[in-house]
């Protein structure tokens, strides 16, 4: 019969001899789908054809039985139709937005190698690609103006975050695992905001871009609550 000490020693030895792990995270995939369907609720600001996609990947190295470090890459993109009106002007844009992040993580495991707390420091980039035009409506007749928008602004961020998660083994070898986690990220913007860049490019014709981009930036593409559903392999 194994003692508790013997079980813990065996688990620690397994962790260190299988101290590398890679994971593929489908949480950003679900976030991308949610962006596509959720943005439609903002109509008329966002069009009916909104769609999104995302993915994440991570490499983790176990330093001891309770401590590990990891590097993570994540991508999230969405195609959106943006419509804004300040009568009699109307701005119609084809817009795609995408973000990627490079993150460093430090983890501390509790209850052997199952429950963990995770701190993150990283870099993120958010970019937008916008094409469209400004129109004026007089007596119900829409007339194109000699003002068009074709612009690809971007912004860099310093990312901070924390999360809680579980590493759940499946199969008989303890090599494969499922890792759900939930946390929050915060982005510190560097340089001029995307909405400010766009306002300048549009000549100040429409001035409330901030109302559109700020929530998307702070709670979806860079910061906000983050759900991870990762499948992994130890080796």
């Amino acid at each position: 019969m194994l003692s508790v000490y013997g079980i813990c020693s065996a688990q620690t030895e397994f962790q260190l001899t299988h101290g590398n792990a890679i994971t593929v995270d489908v949480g950003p995939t679900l976030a991308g789908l949610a962006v596509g369907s959720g943005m439609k609720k903002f109509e008329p600001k966002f069009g009916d054809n909104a769609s999104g996609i995302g993915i994440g990947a991570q490499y983790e190295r176990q330093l001891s039985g309770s401590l590990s470090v990891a590097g993570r890459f994540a991508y999230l993109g969405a195609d959106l139709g943006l419509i804004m009106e300040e009568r009699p002007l109307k701005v119609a844009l084809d817009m795609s937005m995408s973000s990627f992040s490079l993150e460093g993580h430090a983890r501390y495991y509790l209850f052997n190698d199952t429950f963990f707390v995770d701190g993150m420091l990283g870099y993120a980039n958010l970019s937008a690609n916008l094409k469209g035009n400004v129109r004026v409506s007089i007596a119900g007749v829409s007339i194109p103006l000699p003002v068009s928008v074709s612009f690809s602004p971007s912004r860099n961020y310093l990312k901070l975050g924390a999360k809680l998660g579980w590493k759940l083994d499946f199969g008989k070898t303890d090599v494969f695992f499922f890792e759900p986690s939930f946390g929050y990220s915060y982005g510190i913007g560097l340089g001029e905001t995307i909405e400010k860049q766009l306002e300048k490019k549009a000549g100040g014709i429409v001035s409330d871009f901030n109302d559109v981009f700020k929530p998307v930036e702070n709670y979806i593409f860079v910061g906000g609550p983050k759900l991870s559903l990762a499948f992994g392999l130890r080796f």
Side-chain angles (χ1 to χ4, degrees):
M1 180 177 179
L2 289 175
S3 65
V4 173
Y5 174 80
I7 293 174
C8 293
S9 297
Q11 288 175 330
T12 301
E13 182 180 354
F14 179 83
Q15 285 178 268
L16 297 179
T17 55
H18 295 72
N20 303 286
I22 54 174
T23 59
V24 175
D25 184 8
V26 299
T29 305
L30 300 179
L33 296 174
V35 169
S37 60
M39 288 302 181
K40 299 174 185 178
K41 298 179 181 179
F42 288 89
E43 196 178 359
K45 289 186 176 180
F46 292 97
D48 289 328
N49 297 322
S51 62
I53 189 171
I55 194 68
Q58 177 175 284
Y59 167 74
E60 180 184 6
R61 174 62 185 172
Q62 201 79 31
L63 301 180
S64 69
S66 58
L67 183 65
S68 73
V69 292
R72 185 174 187 272
F73 170 82
Y75 170 84
L76 179 62
D79 292 321
L80 307 166
L82 179 63
I83 300 172
M84 303 183 68
E85 293 188 65
E86 287 188 2
R87 294 184 180 277
L89 300 178
K90 180 177 181 180
V91 178
L93 298 173
D94 292 324
M95 179 176 68
S96 62
M97 297 188 70
S98 63
S99 68
F100 72 87
S101 62
L102 300 172
E103 304 166 0
H105 292 256
R107 288 185 173 185
Y108 183 76
Y109 285 89
L110 304 172
F111 312 124
N112 298 321
D113 62 343
T114 302
F115 177 77
F116 63 84
V117 292
D118 183 306
M120 179 270 288
L121 174 64
Y123 160 82
N125 176 271
L126 174 63
S127 61
N129 184 25
L130 306 105
K131 293 183 180 181
N133 57 62
V134 179
R135 307 181 73 89
V136 61
S137 180
I138 301 176
V141 178
S142 182
I143 304 171
L145 296 180
V147 177
S148 62
V149 175
S150 180
F151 193 39
S152 299
S154 65
R155 193 184 191 197
N156 299 316
Y157 302 82
L158 176 66
K159 279 187 72 174
L160 304 171
K163 63 181 177 180
L164 302 174
W166 295 261
K167 184 171 285 186
L168 307 173
D169 296 330
F170 60 89
K172 297 181 179 180
T173 61
D174 294 332
V175 171
F176 300 100
F177 60 90
F178 173 59
E179 186 182 283
S181 62
F182 183 79
Y184 193 91
S185 296
Y186 178 74
I188 302 173
L190 307 174
E192 202 168 46
T193 65
I194 286 181
E195 56 269 17
K196 185 61 66 176
Q197 296 176 54
L198 184 57
E199 286 176 17
K200 288 183 177 179
K201 187 68 176 181
I205 293 177
V206 179
S207 59
D208 64 347
F209 285 115
N210 185 69
D211 297 334
V212 176
F213 285 99
K214 206 67 177 177
V216 173
E217 173 185 359
N218 290 343
Y219 299 106
I220 299 177
F221 283 93
V222 179
K226 304 297 179 185
L227 173 67
S228 173
L229 300 172
F231 296 87
L233 169 69
R234 291 189 181 96
F235 59 96

